[in-house]
Amino acid sequence: PVTITLSSPKGGWTQSRMVQIAGTVSDTTVDPITVAINGDRFLLRTNNGSFSRSFPVTAGKNSIVVQATNKAGTFRAERVVYAQVSPVSLM
């Protein structure tokens, strides 16, 4: 099995539009991992089991799911971040 350790974000509240997602996976051969933010999925490369990248978040609740897959299956770690930021106008 793969253990995913998220060092960031810790969860809770933020006033930043960008949140760093960082951590490690116990199986260093897993590359890439999948990061899902509010259902939008991204592939993120690992370097000797470590990963780190900043992603934009929306105002309110943001669900973050990190998944790693190897021969033993798919494993996940989750965090929830509430962003207190002004909405961005699309016009």
Side-chain angles (χ1 to χ4, degrees):
V2 176
T3 301
I4 303 169
T5 304
L6 285 175
S7 57
S8 177
K10 298 289 185 193
W13 289 90
T14 184
Q15 292 183 332
S16 176
R17 290 196 181 281
M18 301 295 285
V19 171
Q20 183 179 23
I21 298 174
T24 59
V25 291
S26 59
D27 181 351
T28 58
T29 64
V30 174
D31 183 44
I33 59 168
T34 303
V35 175
I37 302 174
N38 300 327
D40 292 328
R41 297 177 63 183
F42 306 92
L43 295 177
L44 183 57
R45 302 294 306 253
T46 62
N47 184 8
N48 292 325
S50 296
F51 58 90
S52 178
R53 180 171 170 213
S54 292
F55 289 91
V57 292
T58 60
K61 181 179 177 181
N62 291 272
S63 175
I64 299 167
V65 178
V66 177
Q67 292 183 320
T69 303
N70 69 1
K71 292 179 183 177
T74 299
F75 304 90
R76 62 193 287 155
E78 300 179 38
R79 289 285 193 283
V80 174
V81 175
Y82 295 90
Q84 188 175 5
V85 295
S86 300
V88 175
S89 175
L90 296 177
M91 299 214 154

